[in-house]
Amino acid sequence: MNTPRLTSLALAAAMAFAYSTFGDTPDEEVYLAPESFVAESFDGASPKPSVLWITNELKPDIQKILGHDYPALRVRYWKDKERTAWILEEIGKVKPITVGIVVEDGRITRLKVLIYRESHGWEVKHSFFTNQFTDAELTEKLRLNKNIDGISGATLSVNALKRLGRLALFLHQQALR
């Protein structure tokens, strides 16, 4: 038997196993189903969903927040009194990150990564990061009123979540008008 060829095949198989086991994350990592997030946000009793239309009046502020146009004509949300819940997506590096955000009395009360699709930056899913958004408010300049510390190696994901936090706060204001 040809030993160099067998060695090459064994090495290739070992590399394929290592890459599949320790390489990139799967295409989609679901941490919490969006419908479960909404139910949890309203103590198990999800209100009927509402729709906020992205009007020409709202587009400039949304573009300022995201750095690009919102990719849809409307946004679905859930509301009970002064509490709203939003399921929003933003591109991290190349793929969308799905985030659930609850806003009450003009402040973020909960931010949770629901679905993560990127190969890097997944650390943003952890509560040590997402808890920083608690009690964040939107300033007149459409910025967060508190500093959110970054994560080395996850800059694009961190920035995506900051934009989504700002967007949820802005949309909350519009939904209560």
Side-chain angles (χ1 to χ4, degrees):
M1 195 153 202
N2 187 342
T3 305
R5 183 175 174 186
L6 185 60
T7 303
S8 295
L9 287 173
L11 181 60
M15 288 174 60
F17 173 77
Y19 180 77
S20 67
T21 304
F22 305 109
D24 291 346
T25 59
D27 286 81
E28 183 171 284
E29 194 80 33
V30 178
Y31 302 116
L32 182 64
E35 56 275 3
S36 297
F37 173 82
V38 172
E40 287 179 8
S41 299
F42 294 97
D43 301 319
S46 299
K48 182 180 171 186
S50 299
V51 172
L52 179 66
W53 288 91
I54 306 300
T55 64
N56 287 336
E57 177 186 322
L58 300 179
K59 285 181 182 182
D61 287 333
I62 291 173
Q63 205 281 333
K64 182 177 179 182
I65 290 168
L66 295 177
H68 59 81
D69 290 330
Y70 190 77
L73 296 174
R74 61 185 179 201
V75 183
R76 190 168 66 156
Y77 68 99
W78 295 261
K79 178 180 178 280
D80 183 31
K81 298 180 181 107
E82 298 293 315
R83 179 185 299 174
T84 59
W86 306 86
I87 307 293
L88 302 170
E89 290 187 339
E90 178 67 331
I91 301 293
K93 183 175 182 179
V94 293
K95 296 181 181 179
I97 303 167
T98 305
V99 178
I101 304 168
V102 177
V103 181
E104 190 165 6
D105 297 325
R107 290 189 300 265
I108 294 175
T109 59
R110 183 178 186 207
L111 184 143
K112 180 148 181 76
V113 175
L114 305 179
I115 305 169
Y116 197 81
R117 298 171 183 88
E118 297 281 5
S119 61
H120 296 81
W122 51 265
E123 297 88 348
V124 296
K125 74 176 182 175
H126 293 292
S127 61
F128 75 82
F129 176 73
T130 59
N131 286 347
Q132 295 181 85
F133 288 89
T134 302
D135 292 328
E137 298 177 53
L138 196 62
T139 68
E140 288 182 21
K141 293 185 177 185
L142 302 177
R143 308 294 301 168
L144 294 176
N145 70 335
K146 60 189 293 189
N147 186 46
I148 304 296
D149 290 332
I151 300 172
S152 181
T155 303
L156 297 175
S157 297
V158 166
N159 290 339
L161 268 62
K162 286 180 184 180
R163 289 190 301 271
L164 290 179
R166 293 168 55 207
L167 180 62
L169 288 163
F170 176 76
L171 295 175
H172 172 82
Q173 291 173 351
Q174 306 314 307
L176 295 184
R177 285 185 172 184

